[in-house]
Amino acid sequence: MPLPRFLAHAAWACVVLALSSPAFAQAPAAAPGAELPRARIAIDETLTTPVALLTERRSATGVPLAARLRVSIDALRDAATIDAIDTRATTLLARDVSLWVVVESPIPAAADLEAWSTAVNALITRLRTRVAWLEISFVGPGEPRLAAFALKRASVDLHSASPGARLLAGGIATGDAAWLERVYAEEVASYVDGLAVPSGTSADVAIAAISKHDAGALVASTGAPIRQWTDIVDAELARLDAGIALTSYEGGLEYLRRGVAALEGVGDLLGGDVVKLDVAAASLTLTPSSVSTTLVYDTTRFGTALVYSRRPGAPGPPADALDVAITLRAGGSPSVRDPYTGQRRPPISTSRDPATSRVTVRVPLRDEPYILDFGDGLAHAVSERSDVTGRTELSVAEIIARHQQARAADDRALERHVVLARMEQHFRPTTTDPGFDVVTENRFFADRAGVEWEELSFSVNGTKWGSDRPAFPLLQPEKVLSPPLDLRLDADYRY
């Protein structure tokens, strides 16, 4: 019985997943959960030049550290390199040091994207939840569209294996406003968690791009050179004002060791719960006004602090004291802290107007920064607190990105699988013609090497055919339409 050479409708009747056969066993799934990385300070190293500080015993009250381990994309293609990274990761995590891996790479050409993605994914598959940050640091110029696609591929692979990890886009191009604009135009905001700006490149461009396209993303500063141990303290205090969430340093071992040890005295200002305050909102006034200041608030301790110093090149003779006036709801006992030694001293004078909650403090002033703690913290007085949360609407790009990540996680969890599928196809030449109802029972085999399809039975209008069944087209909708949730180089759809 000949069949019409047209196709009117096809529908899947049922899909059954069968994993009982030992030959199609389930692989171990990625660990659930998505904890945020703790460290906000990293030390740069490579596999050939590991930094001993990172594996030394440190004080339990020291600031959390991360290792920023740099490796080239070419080196990743060697299995021995991934083995070495795995070993280093195990050593670092044993010392409670977070891992920040940097893949240094040119922007891949279109023909090289698949091989590039395979190399990066091999690293991700080995490290899984042990990597806290993965930075793709692009070396040299390149097509922003290709860079965006490479970042998307890396993001889907990373977040499917380690939901708590963060993907950063790095390299000198992060200082190019036009380049960043073209990359974000490819809808990477739903994939990239932040930008990593190399030392010597202004972070202002990256901060502006983040503010415009992805306000929830972070900005990191990388490879800051340390020439004296005090440089780390100075840089960390400056980071509070600049809005940098994460910083990596490189320099002499002794300078790094002493500088990291000194940060223990200002560790309360380096956590993620410390936010910069608007000076005008706090009614802060300074006399003299020609000083450099950063006003911050600890949302956990409920304490206010002012980082201040003489402003370089300020006109007039240098002042030795600073008068600070601020409105604080809670009273306290202000103190002045030396960030380099951690030592505290009382202010020169202090007064408070209970009627207006106006606090006036006179403190010493110098070229190096001091920290004025206003002593208004209520950590020991508050017995209960409330957290207010809300929901935001997901954009189409975010839905697509999360779907791709979920599907990639499934692909990681299942090495191979078998699906039994019943396919019904109904043909109606006219509204009065009974037409043809074609039903096939099928077995679908899939693994990471490819897909195979076996037809188990074939029937037309309830009559089963054997091996002599008529020729019939196999419906493959993906050959007709490209599903919009697939990750493709060309975004040939818009919403």
Side-chain angles (χ1 to χ4, degrees):
M1 179 173 60
L3 294 177
R5 299 179 60 86
F6 58 86
L7 182 143
H9 174 72
W12 290 96
C14 68
V15 176
V16 180
L17 183 65
L19 292 171
S20 57
S21 172
F24 298 94
Q26 183 174 354
E35 293 186 5
L36 297 178
R38 293 190 306 120
R40 300 170 72 84
I41 298 165
I43 305 299
D44 278 80
E45 67 172 15
T46 64
L47 289 173
T48 57
T49 58
V51 178
L53 167 66
L54 294 168
T55 52
E56 294 173 352
R57 292 188 180 275
R58 297 187 299 115
S59 168
T61 58
V63 296
L65 289 181
R68 183 172 179 263
L69 181 60
R70 305 192 309 277
V71 63
S72 71
I73 187 66
D74 291 334
L76 278 187
R77 296 188 172 97
D78 184 356
T81 299
I82 296 182
D83 291 340
I85 296 174
D86 190 336
T87 301
R88 184 59 177 168
T90 301
T91 303
L92 292 168
L93 294 176
R95 292 296 188 191
D96 197 27
V97 174
S98 303
L99 183 60
W100 174 357
V101 179
V102 184
V103 178
E104 297 174 331
S105 166
I107 295 176
D112 299 329
L113 279 169
E114 194 62 36
W116 184 93
S117 178
T118 299
V120 173
N121 190 38
L123 174 67
I124 293 170
T125 300
R126 178 68 70 88
L127 294 177
R128 289 186 178 263
T129 56
R130 292 182 293 165
V131 62
W133 300 271
L134 175 63
E135 176 188 342
I136 305 299
S137 181
F138 292 120
V139 179
E143 173 58 45
R145 182 175 66 98
L146 296 174
F149 184 78
L151 289 169
K152 289 180 180 181
R153 287 290 299 265
S155 173
V156 169
D157 289 336
L158 175 66
H159 292 126
S160 67
S162 179
R166 298 291 179 263
L167 181 76
L168 306 178
I172 59 174
T174 55
D176 186 335
W179 188 87
L180 283 179
E181 191 68 26
R182 290 181 61 189
V183 168
Y184 274 104
E186 299 293 327
E187 299 179 335
V188 301
S190 301
Y191 298 85
V192 176
D193 300 301
L195 300 176
V197 183
S199 176
T201 303
S202 174
D204 293 344
V205 170
I207 292 174
I210 289 291
S211 300
K212 178 179 179 181
H213 298 285
D214 190 8
L218 63 89
V219 175
S221 176
T222 64
I226 299 302
R227 299 180 178 87
Q228 296 291 333
W229 69 269
T230 55
D231 291 347
I232 291 185
V233 178
D234 293 338
E236 285 300 302
L237 295 179
R239 177 169 66 81
L240 294 172
D241 183 63
I244 304 295
L246 182 65
T247 308
S248 76
Y249 299 99
E250 58 183 15
L253 179 59
E254 289 305 315
Y255 293 148
L256 292 172
R257 182 181 287 123
R258 188 175 177 186
V260 168
L263 291 178
E264 186 173 340
V266 294
D268 58 315
L269 299 181
L270 306 181
D273 295 323
V274 177
V275 297
K276 183 179 177 181
L277 290 181
D278 181 19
V279 170
S283 301
L284 178 71
T285 59
L286 306 168
T287 307
S289 59
S290 56
V291 292
S292 298
T293 60
T294 304
L295 185 65
V296 296
Y297 182 74
D298 189 330
T299 59
T300 299
R301 189 175 58 87
F302 307 106
T304 311
L306 180 72
V307 181
Y308 69 94
S309 63
R310 289 197 190 105
R311 182 177 299 167
D320 294 325
L322 174 69
D323 291 310
V324 180
I326 189 172
T327 301
L328 298 174
R329 292 187 178 274
S333 300
S335 63
V336 178
R337 189 186 346 171
D338 188 326
Y340 305 104
T341 64
Q343 295 180 346
R344 294 178 180 268
R345 57 180 288 184
I348 299 172
S349 63
T350 304
S351 63
R352 175 180 172 81
D353 185 348
T356 62
S357 298
R358 192 73 174 166
V359 177
T360 303
V361 185
R362 188 175 181 83
V363 293
L365 182 62
R366 64 181 183 183
D367 293 338
E368 296 77 22
Y370 272 126
I371 299 172
L372 171 58
D373 293 303
F374 288 98
D376 57 330
L378 299 176
H380 301 295
V382 177
S383 59
E384 181 179 348
R385 61 177 290 175
S386 298
D387 293 324
V388 179
T389 60
R391 296 183 59 184
T392 59
E393 295 294 329
L394 293 177
S395 66
V396 171
E398 289 172 319
I399 293 172
I400 292 175
R402 294 187 185 187
H403 167 83
Q404 291 163 348
Q405 291 161 16
R407 187 168 60 183
D410 289 342
D411 291 341
R412 288 184 184 278
L414 294 175
E415 290 283 352
R416 55 189 65 86
H417 62 269
V418 183
V419 175
L420 299 177
R422 173 185 171 92
M423 183 167 65
E424 296 183 3
Q425 300 167 67
H426 307 286
F427 301 90
R428 298 292 182 266
T430 66
T431 57
T432 58
D433 195 302
F436 304 93
D437 298 316
V438 181
V439 178
T440 59
E441 301 285 351
N442 310 273
R443 183 182 288 120
F444 180 80
F445 300 88
D447 61 17
R448 294 177 183 174
V451 173
E452 290 186 5
W453 185 285
E454 178 188 11
E455 184 179 275
L456 302 177
S457 69
F458 180 92
S459 65
V460 178
N461 291 345
T463 302
K464 286 193 174 183
W465 291 67
S467 58
D468 60 341
R469 75 166 180 81
F472 189 78
L474 175 65
L475 291 187
Q476 294 178 285
E478 68 277 8
K479 300 299 183 182
V480 181
L481 299 173
S482 287
L485 297 184
D486 278 355
L487 185 57
R488 305 190 306 281
L489 178 59
D490 291 316
D492 52 8
Y493 57 89
R494 285 290 183 269
Y495 293 91

